[in-house]
Structure formats: structure tokens, C-alpha cells
């Protein structure tokens, strides 16, 4: 529905009137061919009954409607209209394009939202303030919050159940694949090749490192330091199936014979220069991968590789 013409100051041009409700156009839309304009509500309701223009009966559908030209919108915007709260005592006359903002602030608007000062602090329409009950409203708000919380808890429970089911399916798939590999040597070989390719791709993304102070090696890193290095490996894209092995190989108890004790490390110190090392991003640590160090003696390397953590001296 449009605006009552009696609310406007002065004459209103017929071109600004809706031929359906005979009021001044509100949110106008126009037909595509004949360009007759109507209130958006009026024309959409009309088209639910018959798909034709109300003026010349040309065939149209809701999807054919389009906004009116800017010049028509400007003419509407310049009209002066009385506030719809005039019966409540408001004497304001504003431009039509300012009506909405005026109504939001109009002191005579019975639906103007105001804050309750009785204690609850809720925002209530002005005409409902007399019957407003703080305790009842707060109780209702609390109940709504509890209902929402219950729904969230149900959703969380459902998601947890879905995750558990997916984890169970993944475990079953892994067990099936493991059984297949054990029973079929060819599948074992293919799986190993895939894992090796994944390792090579990852290693190739890492920056080459140079250790300037091998004496700064931390052979027995604590749990906190290991956790930091493990997170850095994960963030670098390290294949899941070797992360745990690599971290276990960060401690001297898992190192090969040539590195297993302080004495052997001092004895083989000059051989460190033969290592191809890659830096663990952002850390004073390197990895020495077996796939890149096949040229070193067997007692100086192990599968899939070594993690060496330093106090300093990694470039």
C-alpha cells in the first residue's frame, strides 16, 4: 500500500500515484514495456491473481518488474509529508525520503523502542511499557537462552557422534588397507612408493640449512621443546605417517650408532659436514632425511630421518 495522499502538502502529480491503491507510490516498481508504476506491495499482490498490467492488461510476471527511473524517485523524495503519528500529537512535516529516519526518532511514535528503567534494561516498544513486566520478560529471555543452549548442546553431541563414526570408519579402512598390504606384496610396494613420493615432495619444499655450531646440538630435548618442533613440522606439511617417527628420532636414545653417545659424536664430528640438512621452518633445528643422505655411512643415518635441535648456529 502507498502513502495516503491527504498526508502531503500541496498537489501531488498523478504520475506519482499508484493506479491500484490510488495512493502516493511506496517502494515503486514499473512494468517492463508500458512502464506503468505501482507500489511494490500492490503490484506483487495483483500479479498473484492475474499476470497482467492493471492499466493496459499487457502480460507481465513478478520477475519482469524493475525499479522506476531515478527522476521519478527524486520527485517522490521531494514531496513533503506529515508524520504518521500526527494523531498522537506530532506536527512534523518532512521530505518523503527522510520519513523513515524521522519515525525512528519521533517522540510520538508508539512503537519507538525505549529502554526499561525499572531494572531489567530490556528494550521495549513505547506503547507496551505500561504492561511491561521485568520478571516475566527476563524469565522468558532466560528460557529462550536455555532452549538455545540445549539446541547447541544437542548439535555438539550430534557432531561428536558423527566424528566418532568417521574415526571408526577411517580405522576400519586403515585396517582393511593394512590387511590388503600384508596379503598382497604388490599393494605393499605401491603403498611404499606413494609414501616415499610424499616424503620427497615435502623435503623438496624445505630450505637448505647450514649448521655452523655442531657443538650447540641438544641431544636430549625436553617435552616442551619437542612439542614446539613437532608443531613446526606439522605446519611445514610433513607427511602424517612419519611425524611421530621423526620426533622420536630427535632424542639420542634413537640415534644411530655413530651418534648414540657424546664420545661417538665427538669422534665423528668431521663427518657432520657430509650431511644434507634441511631447516625446520622458523626453528634452530634441522632434519637429516635418509632419502637425501644415502651417501653417508649407515651408522650415521636412519630411516626416515633424524631431527637435530640446536641452541644456536643454524643458518
Amino acid at each position: 500500500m502507498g502513502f495516503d495522499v491527504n498526508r502531503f502538502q500541496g498537489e501531488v502529480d498523478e504520475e506519482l500515484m499508484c493506479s491500484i491503491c490510488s495512493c502516493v507510490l511506496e517502494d515503486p516498481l514499473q512494468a517492463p514495456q508500458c512502464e506503468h508504476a505501482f507500489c511494490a506491495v500492490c503490484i506483487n499482490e495483483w500479479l498473484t491473481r492475474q499476470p497482467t498490467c492493471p492499466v493496459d492488461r499487457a502480460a507481465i510476471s513478478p520477475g519482469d518488474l524493475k525499479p522506476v527511473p531515478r527522476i521519478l524517485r527524486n520527485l517522490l523524495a521531494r514531496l513533503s509529508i506529515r508524520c504518521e503519528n500526527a494523531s498522537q500529537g506530532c506536527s512534523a512535516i518532512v521530505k518523503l525520503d527522510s520519513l523513515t529516519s524521522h519515525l525512528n526518532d519521533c517522540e510520538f511514535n508508539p512503537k519507538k523502542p525505549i529502554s526499561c528503567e525499572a531494572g531489567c534494561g530490556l528494550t521495549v516498544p513505547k506503547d507496551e511499557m505500561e504492561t511491561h513486566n521485568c520478571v516475566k520478560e527476563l524469565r522468558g529471555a532466560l528460557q529462550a537462552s536455555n532452549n538455545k543452549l540445549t539446541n547447541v548442546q544437542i548439535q555438539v553431541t550430534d557432531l561428536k557422534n558423527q566424528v566418532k563414526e568417521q574415526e571408526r570408519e577411517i580405522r576400519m579402512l586403515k585396517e582393511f588397507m593394512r590387511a590388503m598390504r600384508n596379503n598382497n606384496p604388490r599393494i605393499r610396494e605401491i603403498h611404499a612408493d606413494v609414501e616415499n613420493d610424499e616424503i620427497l615432495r615435502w623435503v623438496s619444499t624445505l630450505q637448505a640449512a647450514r649448521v655452523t655450531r655442531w657443538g650447540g646440538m641438544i641431544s636430549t630435548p625436553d617435552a616442551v621443546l619437542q612439542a614446539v618442533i613437532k608443531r613446526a613440522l606439522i605446519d611445514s606439511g610433513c607427511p602424517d605417517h612419519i611425524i611421530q617417527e621423526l620426533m622420536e628420532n630427535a632424542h639420542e636414545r634413537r640415534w644411530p650408532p655413530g651418534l648414540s653417545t657424546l664420545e661417538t659424536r665427538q669422534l665423528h664430528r668431521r663427518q657432520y659436514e657430509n650431511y644434507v640438512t634441511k631447516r625446520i621452518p622458523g626453528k634452530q633445528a634441522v632434519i637429516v632425511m635418509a632419502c637425501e643422505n644415502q651417501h653417508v655411512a649407515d651408522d650415521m643415518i636412519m630411516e626416515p630421518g633424524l631431527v637435530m635441535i640446536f641452541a644456536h648456529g643454524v643458518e
Side-chain angles (χ1 to χ4, degrees):
M1 294 294 289
F3 300 100
D4 186 346
V5 69
N6 295 319
R7 291 175 56 190
F8 291 85
Q9 279 192 330
E11 295 292 327
V12 178
D13 193 294
E14 288 186 2
E15 295 296 325
L16 304 180
M17 307 282 287
C18 173
S19 60
I20 299 176
C21 66
S22 300
C23 294
V24 176
L25 292 166
E26 181 176 6
D27 299 326
L29 295 172
Q30 71 176 21
Q33 300 299 327
C34 59
E35 298 186 346
H36 291 126
F38 313 93
C39 300
V41 172
C42 295
I43 187 60
N44 280 299
E45 182 179 349
W46 175 280
L47 293 177
T48 61
R49 299 191 297 269
Q50 47 187 321
T52 59
C53 173
V55 178
D56 59 15
R57 305 303 177 183
I60 56 173
S61 66
D64 297 327
L65 298 172
K66 59 182 182 180
V68 298
R70 178 181 295 179
I71 186 170
L72 184 57
R73 296 199 302 272
N74 290 341
L75 290 172
L76 286 167
R78 293 170 187 161
L79 295 177
S80 296
I81 185 172
R82 292 185 181 85
C83 175
E84 63 187 50
N85 299 317
S87 61
Q88 306 293 327
C90 182
S91 59
I93 298 176
V94 299
K95 295 299 182 182
L96 187 56
D97 62 348
S98 301
L99 181 61
T100 299
S101 60
H102 166 74
L103 291 175
N104 290 334
D105 299 327
C106 181
E107 293 297 326
F108 298 92
N109 182 3
K111 295 298 181 183
K112 180 181 178 180
I114 58 176
S115 297
C116 175
E117 298 179 354
C120 70
L122 295 175
T123 300
V124 183
K126 184 178 179 180
D127 61 351
E128 297 179 17
M129 187 56 72
E130 289 186 7
T131 59
H132 172 66
N133 184 311
C134 292
V135 174
K136 180 180 178 181
E137 293 294 336
L138 288 174
R139 185 181 291 119
L142 179 60
Q143 183 61 48
S145 296
N146 288 338
N147 291 341
K148 185 176 181 180
L149 178 60
T150 300
N151 290 335
V152 170
Q153 290 173 336
I154 292 173
Q155 293 174 10
V156 169
T157 300
D158 289 343
L159 288 173
K160 286 182 177 179
N161 290 336
Q162 291 177 23
V163 170
K164 288 181 180 178
E165 180 61 23
Q166 290 174 354
E167 289 176 344
R168 186 184 69 84
E169 291 177 355
I170 290 173
R171 285 196 302 271
M172 292 177 62
L173 180 59
K174 286 182 176 179
E175 290 172 3
F176 173 76
M177 293 300 296
R178 188 180 300 112
M180 290 290 291
R181 289 198 302 272
N182 292 338
N183 295 327
N184 190 323
R186 179 54 183 157
I187 292 180
R188 257 198 322 273
E189 292 174 5
I190 293 173
H191 186 267
D193 290 342
V194 170
E195 289 187 341
N196 289 336
D197 288 345
E198 188 179 5
I199 292 172
L200 289 171
R201 282 195 299 271
W202 168 63
V203 171
S204 68
T205 66
L206 299 179
Q207 182 181 3
R210 187 170 76 91
V211 179
T212 60
R213 297 187 181 181
W214 288 99
M217 188 188 306
I218 301 173
S219 59
T220 57
D222 60 28
V224 174
L225 184 54
Q226 288 202 37
V228 171
I229 299 301
K230 182 176 182 180
R231 170 47 57 186
L233 282 174
I234 293 172
D235 293 342
S236 73
C238 179
D240 293 340
H241 65 277
I242 64 168
I243 286 179
Q244 190 56 40
E245 264 192 287
L246 286 177
M247 290 314 305
E248 289 175 356
N249 292 353
H251 197 288
E252 67 175 12
R253 63 173 174 264
R254 288 289 299 268
W255 283 351
L259 301 173
S260 59
T261 67
L262 179 60
E263 291 76 14
T264 57
R265 288 196 292 277
Q266 290 176 339
L267 181 64
H268 296 126
R269 195 164 183 173
R270 291 186 178 179
Q271 297 186 38
Y272 294 158
E273 298 298 330
N274 295 326
Y275 279 143
V276 175
T277 60
K278 293 294 181 67
R279 185 166 188 174
I280 296 177
K283 306 301 175 186
Q284 284 290 312
V286 300
I287 55 168
V288 184
M289 298 299 293
C291 59
E292 292 189 313
N293 287 276
Q294 298 178 10
H295 58 284
V296 302
D298 291 342
D299 65 345
M300 295 291 289
I301 193 65
M302 62 185 302
E303 291 283 352
L306 303 173
V307 172
M308 293 183 174
I309 306 172
F310 296 84
H312 46 70
V314 177
E315 297 178 354

